Amino acid sequence: MVRIAAIVISLSAGITQSSFAATIEHRDGEIVFTGGSFAIAFSGINGAIRSVTMPGRNGSILQSGDDGLWRATYKEGGGCAGADFTGDSPTRPFRWSADPAAGNLSLTYTSADVAVTITVTERADGVDFTARVEPASQTVLEFGLPARLRFA
C-alpha cells in the first residue's frame, strides 16, 4: 500500500488585474484580499469565499457553497470540508495569516484526520489557489478546491 504524505494542488482564477498591489486586511468578520482589479472576501470564521467583486460590476460574481472553500472525501468513508472548521474550535481549528508584501494569504485547517493549508497568491492575471493536504488518520481519496461554488 502506498501512502501519500501530502498532495499539492494549484488552481488559477482568471481575474485580470493591471498590477501587483495586493492588500489583505481583516474587517467586519471577513479577510479581504484586494488586487489591482478585484477583491475576494473570505469568511473570517472558516475561510469560505463570501464574495468576488470587480470594478464596473454590481455585486459578487460568486461565493462558496455549503462546503466552504474545499472538500475532502476519505477512502475509509465520510470526509470533511472547510466549513467544518472554525477559529474557536478546539478539535477543528481554522487559522489564517497574511503577507501582503508578497501577495500571499494562508488559510490553515487542522484536525485529527487531515491538515489542509490553502495559499492564495496574487498573480498578474488574478490569483492562484494552492492546497497542501496532509492526511493523518484518514486516507484522502478526493480533494476539491474550490468546493462547489454559487454563481450570482
Side-chain angles (χ1 to χ4, degrees):
M1 173 196 234
V2 176
R3 184 158 177 97
I4 298 173
I7 301 168
V8 177
I9 298 170
S10 182
L11 168 73
S12 296
I15 302 169
T16 304
Q17 68 183 50
S18 57
S19 66
F20 284 74
T23 59
I24 303 167
E25 55 189 351
H26 189 256
R27 62 176 186 239
D28 299 326
E30 294 181 330
I31 307 155
V32 182
F33 187 116
T34 305
S37 64
F38 69 92
I40 303 173
F42 297 91
S43 165
I45 295 170
N46 63 22
I49 297 172
R50 286 197 172 162
S51 67
V52 176
T53 56
M54 298 174 69
R57 294 192 64 149
N58 290 331
S60 177
I61 297 168
L62 61 87
Q63 64 186 20
S64 291
D66 293 339
D67 288 333
L69 186 58
W70 58 270
R71 173 127 189 94
T73 303
Y74 302 136
K75 179 181 176 184
E76 297 82 2
C80 68
D84 297 337
F85 294 73
T86 63
D88 60 357
S89 172
T91 58
R92 290 186 174 207
F94 163 74
R95 304 281 184 263
W96 67 276
S97 63
D99 184 353
N104 293 328
L105 171 64
S106 292
L107 309 170
T108 305
Y109 306 80
T110 308
S111 74
D113 297 333
V114 67
V116 174
T117 301
I118 308 295
T119 304
V120 184
T121 306
E122 184 182 26
R123 302 170 24 130
D125 61 348
V127 294
D128 272 340
F129 287 87
T130 304
R132 181 174 177 85
V133 181
E134 299 178 75
S137 66
Q138 300 287 328
T139 305
V140 176
L141 187 60
E142 295 179 356
F143 187 81
L145 171 67
R148 189 170 292 190
L149 297 170
R150 293 183 180 144
F151 292 87

